Amino acid sequence: ALISLLLQAAGAPARAHTRSESHSSWVIDKRQVRTTLTFPDKEAEYVGHGSRPSDDELLSYLTARIGVSAGGQTCRPAVPGRMLQAATGYRRSEYIFDCPSDKNLVLQFAAFVDFVPSHVDFAQIQLADGDVVEQLFTQNDTRFDLTASQGGKFKGAGFLDYVKMGIMHIFTGVDHMSFLLGLVLISRRLRDLVFVVSGFTLGHSITLALAVTGVIRPHGQFIDALVALTIALVGVENVVVSLERPSKVALSTGGFLLVMALLSFLGIGVLPPALLLGTAIFSAAYLLISGQLHESGRLRMVVTTIFGLIHGFGFAADLLEARLPPEKLAQILFGFNIGVEIGQLAVVLAVTGVVFLARRIKLATPRPITVDLLGSALIAEGMAWFISRSFA
C-alpha cells in the first residue's frame, strides 16, 4: 500500500510537468547574432490556444520573447523575423540581430514557459572564435551571459566558491541525498557506515576527476538513469537484509532488468541492451550475496565504490556545464570534491542525529519496520526515476 501511494505521489509531478522542448541555434558573427528556432507543432498550438497558429501569430509571440543585448543595450532586429521551411510536424523561425558592440553579449529566451513552465530549450551557441557552447534555457534560466561563458562560471572564482558549489550540489541533489539515506539505513554500526561512505567517496572522486579532465566522458542520460537505479538497489538491499530472503527478490530484480534489456534490443528505450544486461547480472549477484552475509561491511565498501563511480559522473555534470579554465583545473577539482564531502558528511550526520535523538526520547520505531518503510520508499523513488529516465 505504501509503495502504491508513493508511486502515485511520484506520478503527480510527472503529470504536472509536461514534456515540452525546443531547439535553438545561435551564431555570433562579431556584432551580428543569427538565431534559428525549431519546435514541434504541439508547442506552436499553445500559441494558437489549441489550433494551428498562423506564421504572423507565431512571429508576434516569439519576437517578444527572443532577444539579444550588448552592454545592457538591446540589439535591434536587422530584418523582421521570418518563418522557414521545416520538417513535417515542426515549425522553424529565424531572427537576425544587430548589436551596438560585440562586448558583453547576453542571449535571452523566454518562449513557451508561460504556457508550460517545464519547457526546455536546447541551445547551441557558436561563438565568434568558432567555439561552440551548449546552454539550456528554462523558466528559471532565461538569460545566458556570453562573457561569463569565457572560462565558465569559474571565471574569477576562488577556492571557497568551488567548495560551496560542491556543497550545494549535494544539498540540491535529491537523488544523491536519497542514496546517502540508503547507506545510513543499511549500516547497523558506525564501522559499517565508515566502510560504505569511504567506498562511495573513493568511487566518485575517481570518476569526477576522469570526467572533468576529459579522460572518460560517458553519456549523461545513461548516468542519470544509473544513478536512479543505485537508489532503488540500495533500497532493495535494505529490504533483502531485513527479510533475509534474498533469492526471490534478487532474481526478480535481475529479471526486471533483463526484460528492459530485451525491450532495448527491440528498440524501446534509450539505454543500450549491453548496459542493461550487465546491470541485471550485477544486481542479481550482489543482492544474492549481500542477503547471505551477516558481516558484509567490506563487501558493501566494494559495491558502494562501484556506485560511487556512477555518482561521480553525475557530480561532474555541474562542472561540465561550463568551460573550465585549464590553469585552475586542479583547484576546481579539489575544492569541488571537498564541498561534496562536506555536503554528504552533513547529510549523514543529520540523519544519524535524528535517529539518535528519536531513540533517546523513545520515539523510534522498531528497526525492521523503519527499514521496510524507508527501503520501500527508496525503491519506489529510484524505480520511478529509473524508468522515466530510461524511456524519456
Side-chain angles (χ1 to χ4, degrees), residues 197-239:
V197 172
S198 298
F200 185 62
T201 299
L202 175 63
H204 74 63
S205 297
I206 292 172
T207 47
L208 176 62
L210 291 175
V212 170
T213 54
V215 177
I216 299 176
R217 195 66 62 84
H219 194 295
Q221 192 171 15
F222 299 169
I223 294 300
D224 285 344
L226 290 178
V227 166
L229 182 61
T230 63
I231 297 169
L233 285 180
V234 78
V236 172
E237 183 185 3
N238 274 285
V239 174

Side-chain angles (χ1 to χ4, degrees), residues 27-236:
V27 179
I28 315 298
D29 184 8
K30 298 181 180 178
R31 294 191 306 167
Q32 189 174 87
V33 180
R34 181 186 299 270
T35 306
T36 305
L37 175 65
T38 305
F39 49 96
D41 281 338
K42 68 175 183 177
E43 310 299 337
E45 290 176 359
Y46 290 122
V47 179
H49 303 289
S51 60
R52 182 180 175 85
S54 66
D55 287 353
D56 289 339
E57 287 179 300
L58 277 175
L59 289 172
S60 176
Y61 171 80
L62 293 171
T63 301
R65 291 163 176 81
I66 299 175
V68 183
S69 63
Q73 300 182 46
T74 302
C75 301
R76 295 182 299 178
V79 294
R82 61 174 184 150
M83 300 300 296
L84 304 176
Q85 283 189 330
T88 303
Y90 289 85
R91 307 290 287 273
R92 193 161 174 251
S93 57
E94 181 186 58
Y95 312 86
I96 302 175
F97 301 95
D98 275 336
C99 298
S101 74
D102 59 353
K103 307 297 183 185
N104 303 318
L105 290 176
V106 177
L107 311 184
Q108 302 166 27
F109 184 95
F112 305 116
V113 293
D114 46 346
F115 298 115
V116 184
S118 59
H119 181 85
V120 176
D121 179 75
F122 299 86
Q124 187 178 66
I125 305 157
Q126 181 176 321
L127 305 178
D129 60 4
D131 285 346
V132 176
V133 177
E134 294 181 344
Q135 168 71 7
L136 297 181
F137 287 110
T138 65
Q139 184 184 42
N140 298 321
D141 197 2
T142 59
R143 293 165 56 86
F144 181 58
D145 189 340
L146 290 179
T147 304
S149 75
Q150 308 301 316
K153 62 184 76 175
F154 304 104
K155 184 178 182 180
F159 179 75
L160 292 180
D161 294 312
Y162 313 142
V163 174
K164 180 181 177 182
M165 187 178 179
I167 295 174
M168 293 308 298
H169 189 96
I170 290 292
F171 287 165
T172 58
V174 180
D175 46 4
H176 298 305
M177 292 179 68
S178 298
F179 182 77
L180 290 172
L181 171 62
L183 295 186
V184 174
L185 193 63
I186 197 100
S187 304
R188 291 177 174 269
R189 298 169 298 181
L190 179 61
R191 187 179 70 174
D192 295 337
L193 184 58
V194 170
F195 275 131
V196 295
V197 172
S198 298
F200 185 62
T201 299
L202 175 63
H204 74 63
S205 297
I206 292 172
T207 47
L208 176 62
L210 291 175
V212 170
T213 54
V215 177
I216 299 176
R217 195 66 62 84
H219 194 295
Q221 192 171 15
F222 299 169
I223 294 300
D224 285 344
L226 290 178
V227 166
L229 182 61
T230 63
I231 297 169
L233 285 180
V234 78
V236 172

Side-chain angles (χ1 to χ4, degrees), residues 366-388:
R367 178 177 173 82
I369 294 177
T370 303
V371 170
D372 285 350
L373 289 176
L374 294 181
S376 298
L378 290 174
I379 295 170
E381 179 186 52
M383 289 308 297
W385 283 338
F386 176 65
I387 292 173
S388 65

